Amino acid sequence: MVNGWIILDKPHGLGSTQGVAAVKRNLRQAGFGKVKVGHGGTLDPLATGVLPIAVGEATKLAGRMLDASKEYAFTIRFGAETDTLDLEGKVIATSDVWPSLEEIAAVLPRFTGPIEQVPPAYSAILIDGERAYDRARAGEAVEMKSRSVTIHSLQVASASAGEVTLIAHVSKGTYIRSLARDVAQALGTVGHVTMLRRLRAGPFGLAEAISLDKLNDVGKGAPLEHVLLPLQAGLVDIPALDLTPEQARAVRQGRVLDGLPHDDGLYWVRSGLVPVALVQLSGSVLTVARGFNLPDVAE
C-alpha cells in the first residue's frame, strides 16, 4: 500500500491533472500498481510551485487541502490588461500610467482582509454546467459574479520599472489574476500577471516540494520514501489524540467514543504512530469524520 503526499514543485506549462498523471505513471512504473491519486488545489499551467498530490488514503484529505489557505508570489506588469489577465491573453486595455513604489505600497491595505472579488472569465468556474473559460474561448461575453475572499496579508517583494512583485497569503477561492487586475485599477492604471508561483498550500511549502525530474526518478527505481511524505503531514495544523488499542478498534468500526476530556473541535487520532481517523469532538463525545484504512505497525 502507498499512502501519503507527494509535493510537486510544478513546472511552468504543466497542468495540475498532468501532475497527477505523472505521479500515477511513476508509481505504476515503480511496480506499485493502481493507486488512487488526487491533487489538493489546481494551479494554472502558467503558474509554478507547490502542488500537493495525495496518494492512497491521503486522498481522503484532499478536500481539506482545497479549503486551506495559500501563499503566492506574483508579478504585475502595468500598462496593459489582457482578456485572460496573464501573459497568454490578448491585450484589451492599455494605460500610460506607471505607479510609483510608494503609491503601490499605499494601496495594498485596501486589499487586505475580507474583500469582494470578481473571478476571471478565463477560469474553471462552472456557469450553467459549462466552464467559464470554455464560454470565453467561444467568444461569449461571460458575466462573473463577485465572491467573498480573505487576503490575510499582501506586501511588496520587489519592484522595477513598470512592474511589481507581491507576496500574498490568501483564503481558498482567491484568484491572484483578479487581485492583480484590481490592484492595478486602484492605482489608476491596468495590468496583468507575468509570473505566478505558489509558495505554500496549507502545511506544505517549497521546502517539501520536489522537482518533476526527482519524481521521474521514482519510475526509474529511486526509493519512493525519498519523495513520499506520510499521511499525517497533511494534518499538522490540527491537534492529535492518542488512542488505546481498544479505542482504536472502536473508532475503526465507526463507533462513538464518550467521556474524552478534551476541548471541542477537530482532531486526528492515532494508535501509536498510525493515523486512525479524522474526528470531531463535541461535549466529550468523539465521532468519526473520515476513517483511514491503514494497517497497524504490528500487522
Side-chain angles (χ1 to χ4, degrees), residues 63-125:
R64 284 195 78 244
M65 202 57 58
L66 292 172
D67 290 342
S69 65
K70 313 289 194 302
E71 187 176 330
Y72 296 91
F74 63 103
T75 299
I76 308 171
R77 182 172 296 159
F78 299 110
E81 181 177 319
T82 66
D83 54 0
T84 60
L85 303 180
D86 59 24
L87 277 172
E88 274 201 326
K90 64 180 180 181
V91 175
I92 57 172
T94 60
S95 171
D96 56 6
V97 174
W98 305 98
S100 68
L101 180 57
E102 291 74 22
E103 289 170 327
I104 295 167
V107 84
L108 296 187
R110 291 168 51 181
F111 296 93
T112 305
I115 66 170
E116 291 294 313
Q117 182 184 81
V118 177
Y122 284 83
S123 64
I125 292 173

Short mmCIF file of all heavy atoms in Angstrom, two decimals, residues 63-125:
data_model
loop_
_atom_site.label_atom_id
_atom_site.label_comp_id
_atom_site.label_asym_id
_atom_site.label_seq_id
_atom_site.Cartn_x
_atom_site.Cartn_y
_atom_site.Cartn_z
N GLY A 63 -9.88 17.26 0.15
CA GLY A 63 -10.87 18.32 0.34
C GLY A 63 -10.40 19.36 1.35
O GLY A 63 -10.60 20.56 1.17
N ARG A 64 -9.76 18.90 2.43
CA ARG A 64 -9.20 19.83 3.41
C ARG A 64 -8.11 20.69 2.78
O ARG A 64 -7.98 21.87 3.09
CB ARG A 64 -8.60 19.06 4.61
CG ARG A 64 -9.59 18.50 5.58
CD ARG A 64 -8.90 18.09 6.88
NE ARG A 64 -8.62 19.26 7.70
CZ ARG A 64 -7.41 19.69 8.02
NH1 ARG A 64 -6.34 19.05 7.59
NH2 ARG A 64 -7.24 20.75 8.78
N MET A 65 -7.32 20.09 1.90
CA MET A 65 -6.24 20.83 1.27
C MET A 65 -6.82 21.89 0.32
O MET A 65 -6.28 23.00 0.21
CB MET A 65 -5.32 19.88 0.51
CG MET A 65 -3.94 20.42 0.28
SD MET A 65 -3.08 20.88 1.79
CE MET A 65 -3.11 19.33 2.68
N LEU A 66 -7.92 21.58 -0.35
CA LEU A 66 -8.56 22.56 -1.23
C LEU A 66 -9.04 23.76 -0.43
O LEU A 66 -9.03 24.89 -0.92
CB LEU A 66 -9.74 21.91 -1.96
CG LEU A 66 -9.41 20.83 -2.99
CD1 LEU A 66 -10.69 20.17 -3.49
CD2 LEU A 66 -8.64 21.40 -4.17
N ASP A 67 -9.49 23.51 0.81
CA ASP A 67 -10.01 24.58 1.66
C ASP A 67 -8.91 25.37 2.37
O ASP A 67 -9.19 26.40 2.98
CB ASP A 67 -10.95 23.99 2.73
CG ASP A 67 -12.25 23.49 2.13
OD1 ASP A 67 -12.57 23.88 1.00
OD2 ASP A 67 -12.95 22.71 2.80
N ALA A 68 -7.68 24.90 2.32
CA ALA A 68 -6.59 25.53 3.06
C ALA A 68 -6.19 26.86 2.43
O ALA A 68 -6.40 27.10 1.23
CB ALA A 68 -5.38 24.60 3.11
N SER A 69 -5.58 27.73 3.22
CA SER A 69 -5.06 28.98 2.69
C SER A 69 -3.81 28.71 1.85
O SER A 69 -3.16 27.68 1.99
CB SER A 69 -4.74 29.96 3.82
OG SER A 69 -3.69 29.46 4.63
N LYS A 70 -3.51 29.64 0.97
CA LYS A 70 -2.37 29.50 0.05
C LYS A 70 -1.52 30.78 0.10
O LYS A 70 -2.02 31.85 0.43
CB LYS A 70 -2.85 29.27 -1.39
CG LYS A 70 -3.94 28.22 -1.58
CD LYS A 70 -3.47 26.83 -1.36
CE LYS A 70 -4.45 25.77 -1.86
NZ LYS A 70 -5.80 25.81 -1.28
N GLU A 71 -0.25 30.63 -0.28
CA GLU A 71 0.63 31.79 -0.36
C GLU A 71 1.27 31.83 -1.74
O GLU A 71 1.73 30.81 -2.25
CB GLU A 71 1.71 31.72 0.72
CG GLU A 71 2.57 32.97 0.81
CD GLU A 71 3.57 32.92 1.95
OE1 GLU A 71 3.27 32.27 2.98
OE2 GLU A 71 4.66 33.51 1.82
N TYR A 72 1.28 33.02 -2.35
CA TYR A 72 1.78 33.17 -3.71
C TYR A 72 2.75 34.35 -3.81
O TYR A 72 2.61 35.35 -3.10
CB TYR A 72 0.63 33.45 -4.69
CG TYR A 72 -0.38 32.35 -4.83
CD1 TYR A 72 -1.51 32.32 -4.02
CD2 TYR A 72 -0.22 31.36 -5.79
CE1 TYR A 72 -2.46 31.30 -4.15
CE2 TYR A 72 -1.17 30.35 -5.93
CZ TYR A 72 -2.27 30.32 -5.11
OH TYR A 72 -3.21 29.32 -5.24
N ALA A 73 3.69 34.23 -4.72
CA ALA A 73 4.45 35.37 -5.22
C ALA A 73 3.96 35.61 -6.66
O ALA A 73 3.81 34.65 -7.43
CB ALA A 73 5.95 35.08 -5.21
N PHE A 74 3.71 36.88 -7.01
CA PHE A 74 3.24 37.16 -8.36
C PHE A 74 3.70 38.54 -8.80
O PHE A 74 3.87 39.46 -7.99
CB PHE A 74 1.72 37.04 -8.47
CG PHE A 74 0.93 38.02 -7.64
CD1 PHE A 74 0.33 39.12 -8.22
CD2 PHE A 74 0.77 37.84 -6.27
CE1 PHE A 74 -0.40 40.03 -7.46
CE2 PHE A 74 0.03 38.72 -5.50
CZ PHE A 74 -0.55 39.82 -6.09
N THR A 75 3.91 38.65 -10.10
CA THR A 75 4.38 39.91 -10.67
C THR A 75 3.28 40.53 -11.53
O THR A 75 2.68 39.85 -12.36
CB THR A 75 5.64 39.68 -11.54
OG1 THR A 75 6.68 39.15 -10.71
CG2 THR A 75 6.12 40.98 -12.16
N ILE A 76 3.02 41.81 -11.28
CA ILE A 76 2.07 42.58 -12.08
C ILE A 76 2.87 43.49 -13.02
O ILE A 76 3.72 44.25 -12.55
CB ILE A 76 1.17 43.47 -11.21
CG1 ILE A 76 0.48 42.68 -10.10
CG2 ILE A 76 0.12 44.18 -12.09
CD1 ILE A 76 -0.26 43.55 -9.10
N ARG A 77 2.60 43.39 -14.30
CA ARG A 77 3.18 44.33 -15.26
C ARG A 77 2.11 45.37 -15.59
O ARG A 77 1.01 45.01 -16.07
CB ARG A 77 3.64 43.62 -16.52
CG ARG A 77 4.30 44.56 -17.54
CD ARG A 77 4.91 43.78 -18.68
NE ARG A 77 5.99 42.92 -18.22
CZ ARG A 77 6.45 41.85 -18.88
NH1 ARG A 77 5.89 41.51 -20.04
NH2 ARG A 77 7.43 41.13 -18.39
N PHE A 78 2.42 46.62 -15.34
CA PHE A 78 1.47 47.69 -15.57
C PHE A 78 1.50 48.15 -17.03
O PHE A 78 2.47 47.94 -17.75
CB PHE A 78 1.77 48.88 -14.65
CG PHE A 78 1.66 48.53 -13.19
CD1 PHE A 78 2.80 48.48 -12.39
CD2 PHE A 78 0.43 48.25 -12.62
CE1 PHE A 78 2.72 48.17 -11.04
CE2 PHE A 78 0.34 47.92 -11.27
CZ PHE A 78 1.47 47.88 -10.48
N GLY A 79 0.38 48.77 -17.45
CA GLY A 79 0.32 49.36 -18.77
C GLY A 79 -0.55 48.61 -19.76
O GLY A 79 -0.95 49.17 -20.78
N ALA A 80 -0.86 47.33 -19.47
CA ALA A 80 -1.72 46.56 -20.38
C ALA A 80 -2.50 45.52 -19.59
O ALA A 80 -1.96 44.89 -18.68
CB ALA A 80 -0.88 45.87 -21.45
N GLU A 81 -3.77 45.39 -19.92
CA GLU A 81 -4.62 44.32 -19.36
C GLU A 81 -4.98 43.37 -20.48
O GLU A 81 -5.28 43.81 -21.60
CB GLU A 81 -5.89 44.90 -18.73
CG GLU A 81 -6.80 43.84 -18.11
CD GLU A 81 -8.02 44.42 -17.43
OE1 GLU A 81 -7.89 45.46 -16.75
OE2 GLU A 81 -9.12 43.84 -17.59
N THR A 82 -4.91 42.08 -20.22
CA THR A 82 -5.28 41.08 -21.21
C THR A 82 -6.60 40.42 -20.83
O THR A 82 -7.04 40.50 -19.68
CB THR A 82 -4.19 39.99 -21.33
OG1 THR A 82 -4.13 39.26 -20.11
CG2 THR A 82 -2.83 40.62 -21.62
N ASP A 83 -7.23 39.76 -21.81
CA ASP A 83 -8.52 39.14 -21.53
C ASP A 83 -8.40 37.98 -20.54
O ASP A 83 -9.35 37.67 -19.80
CB ASP A 83 -9.23 38.69 -22.82
CG ASP A 83 -8.37 37.78 -23.69
OD1 ASP A 83 -7.22 37.48 -23.30
OD2 ASP A 83 -8.85 37.37 -24.76
N THR A 84 -7.23 37.34 -20.47
CA THR A 84 -7.02 36.25 -19.52
C THR A 84 -6.38 36.74 -18.22
O THR A 84 -6.21 35.96 -17.28
CB THR A 84 -6.09 35.18 -20.13
OG1 THR A 84 -4.84 35.78 -20.46
CG2 THR A 84 -6.70 34.56 -21.38
N LEU A 85 -6.00 38.02 -18.18
CA LEU A 85 -5.33 38.66 -17.04
C LEU A 85 -3.93 38.12 -16.81
O LEU A 85 -3.35 38.33 -15.74
CB LEU A 85 -6.17 38.53 -15.75
CG LEU A 85 -7.60 39.09 -15.83
CD1 LEU A 85 -8.31 38.89 -14.49
CD2 LEU A 85 -7.58 40.57 -16.21
N ASP A 86 -3.37 37.43 -17.82
CA ASP A 86 -1.99 36.95 -17.72
C ASP A 86 -1.31 37.09 -19.09
O ASP A 86 -1.87 37.69 -20.01
CB ASP A 86 -1.92 35.52 -17.19
CG ASP A 86 -2.69 34.51 -18.05
OD1 ASP A 86 -2.89 34.78 -19.26
OD2 ASP A 86 -3.09 33.44 -17.53
N LEU A 87 -0.13 36.48 -19.21
CA LEU A 87 0.66 36.62 -20.43
C LEU A 87 0.02 35.96 -21.65
O LEU A 87 0.37 36.30 -22.79
CB LEU A 87 2.06 36.02 -20.21
CG LEU A 87 3.10 36.89 -19.53
CD1 LEU A 87 4.34 36.07 -19.22
CD2 LEU A 87 3.47 38.08 -20.41
N GLU A 88 -0.87 34.99 -21.43
CA GLU A 88 -1.41 34.21 -22.55
C GLU A 88 -2.42 34.97 -23.39
O GLU A 88 -2.63 34.65 -24.54
CB GLU A 88 -2.06 32.92 -22.02
CG GLU A 88 -1.10 31.76 -21.84
CD GLU A 88 -1.85 30.43 -21.82
OE1 GLU A 88 -2.98 30.39 -21.32
OE2 GLU A 88 -1.28 29.43 -22.30
N GLY A 89 -3.08 35.95 -22.77
CA GLY A 89 -4.22 36.58 -23.43
C GLY A 89 -3.85 37.69 -24.39
O GLY A 89 -2.69 38.09 -24.53
N LYS A 90 -4.89 38.21 -25.04
CA LYS A 90 -4.70 39.36 -25.94
C LYS A 90 -5.00 40.64 -25.17
O LYS A 90 -5.85 40.67 -24.27
CB LYS A 90 -5.60 39.23 -27.17
CG LYS A 90 -7.08 39.26 -26.89
CD LYS A 90 -7.88 39.13 -28.18
CE LYS A 90 -9.38 39.16 -27.89
NZ LYS A 90 -10.19 39.01 -29.12
N VAL A 91 -4.30 41.70 -25.52
CA VAL A 91 -4.45 42.98 -24.83
C VAL A 91 -5.81 43.58 -25.13
O VAL A 91 -6.22 43.69 -26.29
CB VAL A 91 -3.32 43.95 -25.26
CG1 VAL A 91 -3.55 45.33 -24.64
CG2 VAL A 91 -1.97 43.40 -24.83
N ILE A 92 -6.53 43.97 -24.06
CA ILE A 92 -7.87 44.55 -24.23
C ILE A 92 -7.94 45.98 -23.69
O ILE A 92 -8.93 46.67 -23.90
CB ILE A 92 -8.95 43.69 -23.54
CG1 ILE A 92 -8.63 43.51 -22.05
CG2 ILE A 92 -9.10 42.34 -24.23
CD1 ILE A 92 -9.76 42.83 -21.26
N ALA A 93 -6.89 46.41 -22.97
CA ALA A 93 -6.86 47.78 -22.46
C ALA A 93 -5.41 48.18 -22.20
O ALA A 93 -4.59 47.34 -21.83
CB ALA A 93 -7.67 47.89 -21.17
N THR A 94 -5.12 49.46 -22.43
CA THR A 94 -3.76 49.96 -22.17
C THR A 94 -3.83 51.25 -21.37
O THR A 94 -4.88 51.91 -21.31
CB THR A 94 -3.00 50.21 -23.48
OG1 THR A 94 -3.71 51.18 -24.25
CG2 THR A 94 -2.82 48.93 -24.28
N SER A 95 -2.71 51.59 -20.76
CA SER A 95 -2.61 52.83 -19.98
C SER A 95 -1.15 53.26 -19.96
O SER A 95 -0.25 52.42 -19.98
CB SER A 95 -3.11 52.62 -18.55
OG SER A 95 -2.83 53.73 -17.73
N ASP A 96 -0.93 54.58 -19.91
CA ASP A 96 0.43 55.07 -19.80
C ASP A 96 0.74 55.56 -18.38
O ASP A 96 1.69 56.29 -18.15
CB ASP A 96 0.70 56.19 -20.81
CG ASP A 96 -0.28 57.34 -20.69
OD1 ASP A 96 -1.11 57.33 -19.75
OD2 ASP A 96 -0.22 58.26 -21.53
N VAL A 97 -0.12 55.13 -17.41
CA VAL A 97 0.10 55.48 -16.01
C VAL A 97 1.00 54.42 -15.38
O VAL A 97 0.70 53.22 -15.42
CB VAL A 97 -1.23 55.57 -15.24
CG1 VAL A 97 -0.97 55.80 -13.75
CG2 VAL A 97 -2.11 56.68 -15.82
N TRP A 98 2.11 54.86 -14.81
CA TRP A 98 3.06 53.94 -14.18
C TRP A 98 3.17 54.31 -12.70
O TRP A 98 3.81 55.29 -12.34
CB TRP A 98 4.44 54.03 -14.85
CG TRP A 98 4.36 53.81 -16.33
CD1 TRP A 98 4.33 54.77 -17.29
CD2 TRP A 98 4.29 52.55 -16.99
NE1 TRP A 98 4.24 54.19 -18.54
CE2 TRP A 98 4.21 52.83 -18.39
CE3 TRP A 98 4.28 51.23 -16.58
CZ2 TRP A 98 4.12 51.83 -19.35
CZ3 TRP A 98 4.19 50.23 -17.52
CH2 TRP A 98 4.11 50.52 -18.89
N PRO A 99 2.55 53.54 -11.82
CA PRO A 99 2.54 53.90 -10.40
C PRO A 99 3.92 53.76 -9.76
O PRO A 99 4.73 52.91 -10.16
CB PRO A 99 1.56 52.91 -9.78
CG PRO A 99 1.55 51.75 -10.72
CD PRO A 99 1.78 52.31 -12.08
N SER A 100 4.17 54.62 -8.78
CA SER A 100 5.43 54.55 -8.04
C SER A 100 5.34 53.47 -6.96
O SER A 100 4.24 53.00 -6.61
CB SER A 100 5.72 55.89 -7.38
OG SER A 100 4.77 56.15 -6.34
N LEU A 101 6.49 53.09 -6.42
CA LEU A 101 6.51 52.10 -5.34
C LEU A 101 5.74 52.59 -4.14
O LEU A 101 5.03 51.82 -3.48
CB LEU A 101 7.97 51.79 -4.96
CG LEU A 101 8.18 50.75 -3.84
CD1 LEU A 101 7.51 49.43 -4.19
CD2 LEU A 101 9.66 50.56 -3.59
N GLU A 102 5.84 53.89 -3.85
CA GLU A 102 5.11 54.46 -2.71
C GLU A 102 3.59 54.37 -2.94
O GLU A 102 2.84 54.05 -2.01
CB GLU A 102 5.52 55.93 -2.51
CG GLU A 102 6.95 56.14 -2.03
CD GLU A 102 7.99 55.89 -3.12
OE1 GLU A 102 7.64 55.96 -4.33
OE2 GLU A 102 9.15 55.61 -2.76
N GLU A 103 3.16 54.63 -4.16
CA GLU A 103 1.73 54.54 -4.47
C GLU A 103 1.23 53.10 -4.36
O GLU A 103 0.13 52.85 -3.86
CB GLU A 103 1.47 55.09 -5.87
CG GLU A 103 1.63 56.59 -5.99
CD GLU A 103 1.61 57.07 -7.43
OE1 GLU A 103 2.07 56.32 -8.33
OE2 GLU A 103 1.13 58.19 -7.65
N ILE A 104 2.04 52.15 -4.82
CA ILE A 104 1.67 50.73 -4.74
C ILE A 104 1.54 50.32 -3.28
O ILE A 104 0.53 49.71 -2.87
CB ILE A 104 2.71 49.85 -5.46
CG1 ILE A 104 2.73 50.15 -6.95
CG2 ILE A 104 2.42 48.37 -5.21
CD1 ILE A 104 3.92 49.57 -7.69
N ALA A 105 2.54 50.64 -2.46
CA ALA A 105 2.51 50.26 -1.04
C ALA A 105 1.31 50.87 -0.33
O ALA A 105 0.71 50.26 0.55
CB ALA A 105 3.82 50.67 -0.37
N ALA A 106 0.94 52.09 -0.72
CA ALA A 106 -0.16 52.79 -0.06
C ALA A 106 -1.52 52.17 -0.36
O ALA A 106 -2.44 52.25 0.45
CB ALA A 106 -0.16 54.27 -0.47
N VAL A 107 -1.65 51.52 -1.53
CA VAL A 107 -2.96 50.98 -1.92
C VAL A 107 -3.19 49.56 -1.41
O VAL A 107 -4.33 49.10 -1.33
CB VAL A 107 -3.12 51.05 -3.46
CG1 VAL A 107 -2.48 49.85 -4.15
CG2 VAL A 107 -4.60 51.14 -3.85
N LEU A 108 -2.12 48.85 -1.06
CA LEU A 108 -2.27 47.44 -0.67
C LEU A 108 -3.16 47.21 0.54
O LEU A 108 -3.88 46.19 0.58
CB LEU A 108 -0.88 46.82 -0.45
CG LEU A 108 0.03 46.74 -1.68
CD1 LEU A 108 1.28 45.94 -1.35
CD2 LEU A 108 -0.69 46.14 -2.88
N PRO A 109 -3.17 48.09 1.56
CA PRO A 109 -4.08 47.85 2.69
C PRO A 109 -5.55 47.77 2.28
O PRO A 109 -6.35 47.12 2.98
CB PRO A 109 -3.82 49.06 3.61
CG PRO A 109 -2.41 49.43 3.33
CD PRO A 109 -2.24 49.21 1.86
N ARG A 110 -5.92 48.39 1.18
CA ARG A 110 -7.31 48.30 0.70
C ARG A 110 -7.66 46.89 0.25
O ARG A 110 -8.85 46.54 0.13
CB ARG A 110 -7.52 49.28 -0.46
CG ARG A 110 -7.48 50.74 -0.04
CD ARG A 110 -7.39 51.69 -1.21
NE ARG A 110 -8.40 51.45 -2.25
CZ ARG A 110 -8.47 52.17 -3.37
NH1 ARG A 110 -7.60 53.15 -3.59
NH2 ARG A 110 -9.40 51.90 -4.27
N PHE A 111 -6.64 46.07 -0.01
CA PHE A 111 -6.87 44.70 -0.47
C PHE A 111 -6.45 43.67 0.58
O PHE A 111 -6.19 42.51 0.26
CB PHE A 111 -6.10 44.47 -1.78
CG PHE A 111 -6.58 45.33 -2.91
CD1 PHE A 111 -5.99 46.55 -3.17
CD2 PHE A 111 -7.67 44.94 -3.67
CE1 PHE A 111 -6.45 47.36 -4.19
CE2 PHE A 111 -8.14 45.74 -4.71
CZ PHE A 111 -7.53 46.97 -4.96
N THR A 112 -6.41 44.09 1.82
CA THR A 112 -6.06 43.19 2.91
C THR A 112 -7.28 43.01 3.80
O THR A 112 -7.98 43.97 4.11
CB THR A 112 -4.89 43.75 3.74
OG1 THR A 112 -3.78 44.02 2.87
CG2 THR A 112 -4.44 42.76 4.80
N GLY A 113 -7.55 41.75 4.19
CA GLY A 113 -8.74 41.43 4.97
C GLY A 113 -9.83 40.87 4.06
O GLY A 113 -9.57 40.47 2.92
N PRO A 114 -11.08 40.84 4.52
CA PRO A 114 -12.19 40.36 3.68
C PRO A 114 -12.46 41.33 2.54
O PRO A 114 -12.59 42.54 2.77
CB PRO A 114 -13.38 40.31 4.66
CG PRO A 114 -12.79 40.38 6.03
CD PRO A 114 -11.53 41.18 5.89
N ILE A 115 -12.50 40.82 1.33
CA ILE A 115 -12.79 41.66 0.16
C ILE A 115 -13.77 40.94 -0.76
O ILE A 115 -13.97 39.73 -0.65
CB ILE A 115 -11.51 42.02 -0.64
CG1 ILE A 115 -10.90 40.76 -1.26
CG2 ILE A 115 -10.51 42.76 0.23
CD1 ILE A 115 -9.78 41.05 -2.27
N GLU A 116 -14.38 41.70 -1.65
CA GLU A 116 -15.20 41.13 -2.72
C GLU A 116 -14.35 41.09 -3.99
O GLU A 116 -13.65 42.06 -4.30
CB GLU A 116 -16.46 41.96 -2.94
CG GLU A 116 -17.46 41.89 -1.82
CD GLU A 116 -18.08 40.50 -1.67
OE1 GLU A 116 -18.50 39.93 -2.71
OE2 GLU A 116 -18.12 39.99 -0.53
N GLN A 117 -14.42 39.98 -4.70
CA GLN A 117 -13.58 39.81 -5.88
C GLN A 117 -14.38 39.17 -7.01
O GLN A 117 -15.14 38.22 -6.79
CB GLN A 117 -12.39 38.91 -5.52
CG GLN A 117 -11.41 38.67 -6.64
CD GLN A 117 -10.32 37.69 -6.24
OE1 GLN A 117 -10.52 36.48 -6.27
NE2 GLN A 117 -9.16 38.21 -5.86
N VAL A 118 -14.20 39.68 -8.22
CA VAL A 118 -14.83 39.08 -9.41
C VAL A 118 -13.80 38.16 -10.07
O VAL A 118 -12.75 38.62 -10.50
CB VAL A 118 -15.29 40.17 -10.40
CG1 VAL A 118 -15.87 39.52 -11.66
CG2 VAL A 118 -16.31 41.09 -9.75
N PRO A 119 -14.07 36.85 -10.14
CA PRO A 119 -13.12 35.93 -10.76
C PRO A 119 -12.91 36.21 -12.24
O PRO A 119 -13.77 36.85 -12.89
CB PRO A 119 -13.79 34.55 -10.57
CG PRO A 119 -14.77 34.75 -9.46
CD PRO A 119 -15.25 36.17 -9.59
N PRO A 120 -11.81 35.75 -12.81
CA PRO A 120 -11.57 35.94 -14.25
C PRO A 120 -12.57 35.16 -15.09
O PRO A 120 -13.01 34.06 -14.69
CB PRO A 120 -10.15 35.39 -14.45
CG PRO A 120 -9.57 35.23 -13.09
CD PRO A 120 -10.70 35.02 -12.16
N ALA A 121 -12.91 35.70 -16.24
CA ALA A 121 -13.76 34.96 -17.18
C ALA A 121 -13.04 33.68 -17.62
O ALA A 121 -13.68 32.65 -17.85
CB ALA A 121 -14.11 35.82 -18.38
N TYR A 122 -11.72 33.76 -17.75
CA TYR A 122 -10.93 32.57 -18.10
C TYR A 122 -10.56 31.84 -16.81
O TYR A 122 -9.46 31.94 -16.29
CB TYR A 122 -9.68 32.96 -18.88
CG TYR A 122 -9.97 33.34 -20.32
CD1 TYR A 122 -10.40 34.62 -20.63
CD2 TYR A 122 -9.84 32.41 -21.36
CE1 TYR A 122 -10.69 34.98 -21.94
CE2 TYR A 122 -10.11 32.76 -22.67
CZ TYR A 122 -10.55 34.04 -22.95
OH TYR A 122 -10.84 34.38 -24.26
N SER A 123 -11.55 31.12 -16.26
CA SER A 123 -11.37 30.32 -15.06
C SER A 123 -12.22 29.06 -15.18
O SER A 123 -13.06 28.94 -16.08
CB SER A 123 -11.77 31.11 -13.81
OG SER A 123 -13.15 31.43 -13.83
N ALA A 124 -12.01 28.13 -14.26
CA ALA A 124 -12.71 26.84 -14.33
C ALA A 124 -14.06 26.85 -13.64
O ALA A 124 -14.68 25.79 -13.47
CB ALA A 124 -11.82 25.74 -13.73
N ILE A 125 -14.53 28.01 -13.22
CA ILE A 125 -15.82 28.11 -12.54
C ILE A 125 -16.93 27.66 -13.49
O ILE A 125 -16.95 28.02 -14.67
CB ILE A 125 -16.06 29.56 -12.06
CG1 ILE A 125 -15.06 29.90 -10.95
CG2 ILE A 125 -17.49 29.75 -11.56
CD1 ILE A 125 -15.11 31.35 -10.53
#
